[in-house]
Amino acid sequence: MDGEIFTATLVPSGNMTPNSSMTLEQKTTFAFVILLFIFLGILIVRCFRILLDPYRSMPTSTWADGLDGLEKGQFDYALV
Protein backbone atom coordinates (compact mmCIF):
# COMPACT_ATOMS: atom_id res chain seq x y z
CA MET A 1 0.00 0.00 0.00
CA ASP A 2 2.78 2.44 0.86
CA GLY A 3 4.57 1.68 -2.41
CA GLU A 4 1.47 2.54 -4.43
CA ILE A 5 1.12 5.95 -2.78
CA PHE A 6 4.81 6.70 -3.24
CA THR A 7 4.83 5.87 -6.97
CA ALA A 8 1.58 7.72 -7.52
CA THR A 9 3.06 10.94 -6.19
CA LEU A 10 6.23 10.67 -8.30
CA VAL A 11 4.64 9.72 -11.62
CA PRO A 12 2.10 12.24 -12.94
CA SER A 13 -1.17 10.90 -14.18
CA GLY A 14 -1.96 10.88 -17.90
CA ASN A 15 -4.34 13.86 -17.86
CA MET A 16 -1.85 16.23 -16.11
CA THR A 17 0.66 18.00 -18.33
CA PRO A 18 3.85 19.15 -16.60
CA ASN A 19 4.48 22.88 -16.83
CA SER A 20 8.01 23.19 -18.19
CA SER A 21 8.05 26.99 -18.57
CA MET A 22 9.20 29.19 -15.72
CA THR A 23 6.97 31.89 -14.30
CA LEU A 24 8.08 35.52 -14.18
CA GLU A 25 8.76 35.24 -10.46
CA GLN A 26 10.99 32.20 -10.98
CA LYS A 27 12.89 33.94 -13.80
CA THR A 28 13.42 37.03 -11.64
CA THR A 29 14.62 34.92 -8.73
CA PHE A 30 16.96 32.95 -10.98
CA ALA A 31 18.45 36.16 -12.44
CA PHE A 32 18.88 37.63 -8.94
CA VAL A 33 20.66 34.49 -7.71
CA ILE A 34 22.97 34.57 -10.74
CA LEU A 35 23.81 38.22 -10.01
CA LEU A 36 24.55 37.33 -6.39
CA PHE A 37 26.92 34.56 -7.51
CA ILE A 38 28.71 36.98 -9.84
CA PHE A 39 29.04 39.50 -6.99
CA LEU A 40 30.33 36.74 -4.68
CA GLY A 41 32.92 35.73 -7.29
CA ILE A 42 34.13 39.33 -7.63
CA LEU A 43 34.47 39.64 -3.85
CA ILE A 44 36.37 36.35 -3.58
CA VAL A 45 38.81 37.41 -6.31
CA ARG A 46 39.31 40.80 -4.62
CA CYS A 47 39.93 39.22 -1.21
CA PHE A 48 42.49 36.79 -2.64
CA ARG A 49 44.28 39.65 -4.38
CA ILE A 50 44.47 41.55 -1.08
CA LEU A 51 45.70 38.44 0.73
CA LEU A 52 48.42 37.81 -1.84
CA ASP A 53 49.67 41.42 -1.97
CA PRO A 54 48.31 43.44 0.98
CA TYR A 55 50.64 46.42 0.62
CA ARG A 56 49.75 47.18 -2.99
CA SER A 57 46.49 48.93 -2.09
CA MET A 58 47.95 50.96 0.79
CA PRO A 59 48.98 54.58 0.13
CA THR A 60 52.69 55.33 0.26
CA SER A 61 52.32 58.69 2.01
CA THR A 62 52.39 59.10 5.80
CA TRP A 63 50.69 61.55 8.13
CA ALA A 64 53.82 63.70 8.32
CA ASP A 65 54.19 64.24 4.55
CA GLY A 66 51.82 67.20 4.48
CA LEU A 67 53.70 69.26 7.07
CA ASP A 68 55.78 71.96 5.41
CA GLY A 69 59.06 72.94 7.03
CA LEU A 70 58.86 70.37 9.82
CA GLU A 71 60.78 67.19 10.32
CA LYS A 72 59.04 63.95 11.27
CA GLY A 73 59.64 64.33 15.01
CA GLN A 74 58.44 67.91 15.43
CA PHE A 75 54.69 67.45 15.13
CA ASP A 76 54.11 67.94 18.88
CA TYR A 77 55.61 71.41 18.75
CA ALA A 78 53.52 72.40 15.72
CA LEU A 79 50.29 71.91 17.67
CA VAL A 80 51.13 74.60 20.22
Side-chain angles (χ1 to χ4, degrees), residues 1-78:
M1 178 99 174
D2 290 333
E4 294 173 4
I5 295 172
F6 183 69
T7 56
T9 57
L10 289 179
V11 179
S13 61
N15 60 359
M16 295 177 60
T17 58
N19 189 6
S20 62
S21 65
M22 295 174 59
T23 63
L24 179 63
E25 182 179 341
Q26 289 173 335
K27 289 178 184 178
T28 305
T29 305
F30 187 72
F32 184 69
V33 168
I34 294 297
L35 286 176
L36 283 178
F37 274 120
I38 291 171
F39 183 67
L40 178 67
I42 291 170
L43 286 179
I44 288 173
V45 168
R46 185 170 183 241
C47 288
F48 273 110
R49 287 178 64 193
I50 290 173
L51 285 174
L52 292 176
D53 191 12
Y55 298 110
R56 181 178 50 101
S57 61
M58 294 177 65
T60 57
S61 63
T62 61
W63 58 270
D65 284 346
L67 300 175
D68 295 330
L70 295 175
E71 295 296 325
K72 284 191 176 177
Q74 298 175 343
F75 184 70
D76 295 330
Y77 301 112

